Amino acid sequence: MKTKTIRVIVLGLIVHHDRLFLSEGFDAVKQETFYRALGGGVEFGETCQAALQREFQEELQAELTNIRYLACLENLFTFMGEPGHELVQLYQCDFVDSYFYQNQPFTFIEGDNQCLARWVDIDQLKSNALRLVPEDCLAYLL
């Protein structure tokens, strides 16, 4: 039997011209596309801010600036038929390199999967035309 644990993750909200920089995911069990801010797990002995910077460096080779703590969110969810439980340390930040503000998709590798990150109109998230996870992140969008 697999032991269930609560995972601590860090996510970075990057807003630019009414758009939010997000990774695109797909749950094959639910047949549902969703969007999530980039970030990942916090390692033992690592601060949340250091984890945020490391994750963006690993995934996009991107440096962050103007990093500001927003909140801690509790996220209970089901992904690929399995229950999950996360404590999300949420930050607002910006890219150092203006290259990342271009309106193009960026691919990166996460584990064994090729992933896509792109700019998404905030209005599409607020209207639920596109699904943002965790949904509580919506409260922190201007």
Side-chain angles (χ1 to χ4, degrees):
M1 174 185 251
K2 189 174 179 181
T3 302
K4 305 291 183 196
T5 61
I6 299 172
R7 185 171 179 230
V8 177
I9 68 166
V10 61
L11 299 178
L13 295 180
I14 301 178
V15 176
H16 184 51
H17 298 305
D18 299 322
R19 300 175 306 158
L20 185 61
F21 193 75
L22 300 170
S23 65
E24 186 175 286
F26 184 74
D27 186 322
V29 172
K30 296 177 188 175
Q31 290 294 297
E32 178 179 77
T33 299
F34 60 90
Y35 295 87
R36 188 185 89 159
L38 272 74
V42 178
E43 297 176 359
F44 183 82
E46 181 179 46
T47 67
C48 291
Q49 186 168 331
L52 180 67
Q53 291 171 308
R54 176 183 50 77
E55 288 288 341
F56 272 81
Q57 186 63 44
E58 287 176 359
E59 293 171 356
L60 297 173
Q61 292 73 54
E63 301 282 331
L64 299 175
T65 189
N66 303 324
I67 300 170
R68 185 171 64 88
Y69 180 74
L70 295 175
C72 180
L73 308 175
E74 189 166 21
N75 187 28
L76 298 166
F77 61 95
T78 303
F79 177 67
M80 301 294 282
E82 294 291 323
H85 189 173
E86 298 171 332
L87 292 180
V88 180
Q89 297 296 320
L90 188 64
Y91 287 80
Q92 180 179 324
C93 50
D94 296 311
F95 287 117
V96 169
D97 190 341
S98 62
Y99 167 77
F100 291 102
Y101 290 105
Q102 297 176 31
N103 193 22
Q104 66 178 359
F106 298 87
T107 57
F108 64 96
I109 303 299
E110 179 69 34
D112 295 331
N113 301 316
Q114 182 171 329
C115 301
L116 179 74
R118 67 181 182 96
W119 291 99
V120 174
D121 289 329
I122 292 173
D123 287 342
Q124 290 185 295
L125 302 168
K126 288 183 175 180
S127 70
N128 293 319
L130 298 176
R131 184 165 181 253
L132 179 65
V133 296
E135 292 175 16
D136 290 345
C137 289
L138 285 172
Y140 297 92
L141 300 176
L142 302 174

